[in-house]
Amino acid sequence: MQAETNTEELTYLYAFIPTDEYEKNPFPERKGMDPEYTIKCLPFDTITAVTCPVSHQEFSEEVLQKKVDNMQWLQEKAFHHHEMMNTLHAEYTVIPLKFATIYEKTDSLEQVIEEKKEHIHSIFHEISNQEEWNIKIYTVKDEFTQRIETYHPDIEQKKQEIEGLSRGKQFFEKKKLKELILMKAEEEIDEYCERIHEQLMKWSTDHEIKKNWERKLTGRTDDMCWNGAYLLPKEKVKSTLSYIEEERERARKKVFPFTFEVTGPWPAYHFSNFINRGEQSGG
Amino acid sequence: MAGESLQTKDVSLLDVLDAVLEKGVVLKGDLTISVAGVDLVYLDLRVLLSSVETLVQAQEQESQEVVREEYIDFT
């Protein structure tokens, strides 16, 4: 299809969806990133680009660069982008694009699609009928460490050994003991999270282990000790969630408590990228 | 737990920004906006996001309290 080019508007690109799915189930009218315009689905052969016209005044490179520094604006637009992805994901196989992927001309969008056609099709195939779920595990590390100090048999044994030493030696050994306690706590936390992860990998077709976010970022009073994204076939979602629920229940009854935060289904944000396929990041 | 759905209200701003700014397919657009390249590991952005998130949570709590008061009034 030859898309219409309008020099007065830019084209904001949300996502790619397969044209056959779009034709069976056309996307209803909906306001776009620029509320003056509605969502436009542009079929380019077998790949349909979900776009929205945006005005030069609001979305030109110079204006946008200033706007993204305004957190309120960024929040509103990022949520809009995300909500669009969720809506699309509920109906179609969707490849989500990064926020603020904008084209001046639909001709260049068409050209990019043509260049990436094979990658796009292979991702459609990989993520079809799958959902991304994010699983985070938290614990209060200070409390965890204190409990290790009180209850761990290795620590108890070490303490008894220290008791039998001379005062001078005790000083150094106690210092070492503190390090040992911290190390044991880290080990136990890691082992716990790894065990959960191993189990989740049995159901997932792909995963990404993400960096743990600090308290100042999460705003929570406990510490994130696992942050993983999992790509799950739809038929495995129920068992995965039931497993997490069982672990959550088990953790509640344990001496060392862990809490779980599960969010999903997300569109396959973590599993749609071209970069792992020998492509360079652009734009 | 099962059937949990990803409504915007259930997801933190941080999760959304992490997904839409950090993840998703990078295609060469005609415009270059550096926010798309901002890495969330940068501390200053983390702090900024955190304060925005706290603000959002405070607003949410406020609106929940209003709803609760209304509920009490009706019973």
Side-chain angles (χ1 to χ4, degrees):
Chain A
M1 167 188 159
Q2 189 60 47
E4 191 184 308
T5 304
N6 187 339
T7 51
E8 293 305 308
E9 296 155 359
L10 299 163
T11 299
Y12 184 97
L13 176 63
Y14 292 97
F16 294 130
I17 58 176
T19 300
D20 57 343
E21 291 184 22
Y22 170 68
E23 282 173 348
K24 277 183 215 155
N25 180 17
F27 193 73
E29 191 171 303
R30 190 183 165 122
K31 273 189 183 175
M33 179 63 73
D34 184 336
E36 295 296 312
Y37 300 90
T38 53
I39 302 296
K40 248 184 176 175
C41 291
L42 308 174
F44 296 99
D45 195 18
T46 51
I47 297 162
T48 291
V50 182
T51 71
C52 168
V54 289
S55 70
H56 264 287
Q57 289 91 333
E58 296 289 317
F59 287 83
S60 72
E61 196 163 347
E62 201 179 303
V63 177
L64 201 52
Q65 194 55 67
K66 282 182 192 151
K67 287 198 170 184
V68 293
D69 292 332
N70 173 347
M71 280 304 291
Q72 207 169 350
W73 184 91
L74 184 60
Q75 181 191 336
E76 184 196 322
K77 297 301 182 188
F79 267 113
H80 165 82
H81 185 99
H82 169 63
E83 279 173 342
M84 262 302 291
M85 291 308 150
N86 274 349
T87 308
L88 291 168
H89 185 237
E91 304 290 334
Y92 314 103
T93 303
V94 57
I95 297 180
L97 269 291
K98 204 165 187 161
F99 180 75
T101 304
I102 298 173
Y103 291 85
E104 280 185 321
K105 293 173 184 170
T106 46
D107 289 356
S108 35
L109 168 60
E110 187 172 12
Q111 198 185 329
V112 170
I113 292 174
E114 189 54 39
E115 281 168 18
K116 312 282 183 195
K117 209 164 157 180
E118 279 179 33
H119 288 318
I120 295 172
H121 279 295
S122 103
I123 296 171
F124 278 155
H125 178 70
E126 284 167 25
I127 64 173
S128 170
N129 288 314
Q130 305 216 53
E131 293 175 351
E132 180 178 313
W133 285 79
N134 191 286
I135 295 167
K136 298 187 180 84
I137 307 175
Y138 297 87
T139 194
V140 181
K141 278 192 178 170
D142 289 349
E143 283 177 18
F144 196 98
T145 309
Q146 269 179 359
R147 291 196 181 245
I148 288 280
E149 186 174 357
T150 315
Y151 298 111
H152 200 287
D154 290 359
I155 304 298
E156 187 53 39
Q157 195 189 336
K158 192 81 189 159
K159 275 182 184 170
Q160 282 172 10
E161 283 171 20
I162 292 174
E163 286 295 311
L165 297 174
S166 69
R167 274 197 167 185
K169 277 189 179 170
Q170 275 193 8
F171 175 78
F172 292 107
E173 289 302 317
K174 277 183 181 169
K175 227 177 159 184
K176 275 195 211 165
L177 180 67
K178 273 188 185 169
E179 285 164 20
L180 182 69
I181 292 165
L182 286 174
M183 200 183 77
K184 285 278 174 204
E186 286 293 334
E187 267 177 22
E188 296 252 342
I189 291 170
D190 289 349
E191 269 173 34
Y192 180 83
C193 295
E194 288 288 344
R195 185 174 65 75
I196 305 285
H197 173 63
E198 291 289 323
Q199 187 61 40
L200 292 173
M201 281 205 300
K202 289 182 187 165
W203 290 302
S204 63
T205 51
D206 204 352
H207 69 271
E208 186 179 314
I209 301 169
K210 293 162 64 67
K211 199 177 158 56
N212 292 329
W213 296 339
E214 292 163 24
R215 281 190 190 193
K216 65 179 116 184
L217 188 60
T218 62
R220 292 174 61 117
T221 51
D222 49 6
D223 304 286
M224 191 185 291
C225 47
W226 191 263
N227 186 7
Y230 298 86
L231 187 65
L232 295 167
K234 281 184 180 169
E235 69 274 13
K236 305 277 185 192
V237 170
K238 206 176 166 189
S239 350
T240 308
L241 296 183
S242 305
Y243 166 71
I244 294 290
E245 192 54 31
E246 282 165 23
E247 283 298 331
R248 185 180 267 163
E249 205 41 50
R250 215 169 288 154
R252 264 187 211 131
K253 295 171 187 164
K254 273 196 172 184
V255 184
F256 302 142
F258 290 92
T259 53
F260 291 81
E261 186 184 80
V262 181
T263 54
W266 293 85
Y269 281 112
H270 290 78
F271 308 103
S272 303
N273 227 316
F274 297 160
I275 295 172
N276 295 336
R277 293 154 208 262
E279 292 295 307
Q280 291 301 307
S281 149
Chain B
M1 178 63 222
E4 187 170 350
S5 69
L6 192 68
Q7 300 294 316
T8 298
K9 61 181 169 53
D10 297 331
V11 183
S12 74
L13 169 65
L14 186 61
D15 276 309
V16 170
L17 292 183
D18 180 50
V20 308
L21 300 185
E22 275 289 288
K23 300 295 166 186
V25 170
V26 180
L27 269 191
K28 197 180 182 328
D30 289 339
L31 307 187
T32 307
I33 311 299
S34 70
V35 68
V38 168
D39 192 337
L40 283 182
V41 300
Y42 291 147
L43 184 68
D44 52 352
L45 181 64
R46 286 184 158 210
V47 173
L48 186 62
L49 290 176
S50 181
S51 56
V52 172
E53 201 179 30
T54 311
L55 184 71
V56 172
Q57 281 168 353
Q59 284 168 348
E60 277 172 3
Q61 271 174 7
E62 211 170 278
S63 69
Q64 277 169 5
E65 276 163 19
V66 171
V67 172
R68 212 172 297 133
E69 279 167 19
E70 282 174 359
Y71 178 75
I72 290 165
D73 284 343
F74 281 114
T75 52

